[in-house]
Amino acid sequence: VKVSEEEVAFLIGETDMAAGAQKLHALGPRLVFVTLGPAGCFYSAGGHAGYMPTYDLVVKDTTGAGDAFMGGILASVVESGKPLDALLTPDALENMVDFANAVGALATTRSGGVRSMPLPEEIVTCRATAEKLILT
């Protein structure tokens, strides 16, 4: 499941992402992703949880960023060719979330929903060259 920080507070009544993720897991989802806008993403799956910063890009429009993020997650799962259980390791989860963060961040650099989806080569370039946005 992918929810925003605001949705966790509204739906689950939690402002602590780890506690919110645990409550969501109790409802059935094996993977929980909480998008945090410029603060990146909190993820929880297979007993592993953490934060992943996003990329520092010039934001034009946030429409479709969450959909792009989730598309990045799904693309990572499909492209791996592995069963979901094999992707619940810390390294695999971090790679998946980093990829999805790049997709979501790139989507914010253009206007619109569908039109803003990045091309595969743009994602590769972003991950290789863009700086991470570390918010404290």
Side-chain angles (χ1 to χ4, degrees), residues 54-57 126 129-133:
T54 192
Y55 290 88
D56 189 10
L57 303 176
C126 177
T129 63
E131 295 291 323
K132 294 281 181 95
L133 181 59

Side-chain angles (χ1 to χ4, degrees), residues 78-103:
V78 171
E79 288 293 316
S80 77
K82 297 177 182 179
L84 185 59
D85 287 340
L87 300 175
L88 301 182
T89 66
D91 287 344
L93 286 167
E94 286 182 10
N95 186 57
M96 186 185 318
V97 173
D98 184 65
F99 181 84
N101 275 348
V103 176

Side-chain angles (χ1 to χ4, degrees), residues 4-5 8-9 14-22 32 34 36 42 51:
S4 70
E5 183 175 21
V8 171
E14 285 288 347
T15 55
D16 176 84
M17 295 304 103
Q22 289 308 308
V32 174
V34 182
L36 307 168
F42 176 83
Y51 286 90

Side-chain angles (χ1 to χ4, degrees), residues 57 68 71-72 75 79 98-110 113-129:
L57 303 176
E79 288 293 316
D98 184 65
F99 181 84
N101 275 348
V103 176
L106 284 164
T108 69
T109 65
R110 300 185 266 261
V114 174
R115 294 181 312 188
S116 67
M117 296 302 128
L119 298 171
E121 56 270 19
E122 293 174 306
I123 300 164
V124 170
T125 300
C126 177
R127 291 180 81 192
T129 63

Side-chain angles (χ1 to χ4, degrees), residues 55-67:
Y55 290 88
D56 189 10
L57 303 176
V58 177
V59 175
K60 184 174 184 179
D61 181 7
T62 61
T63 302
D67 293 331

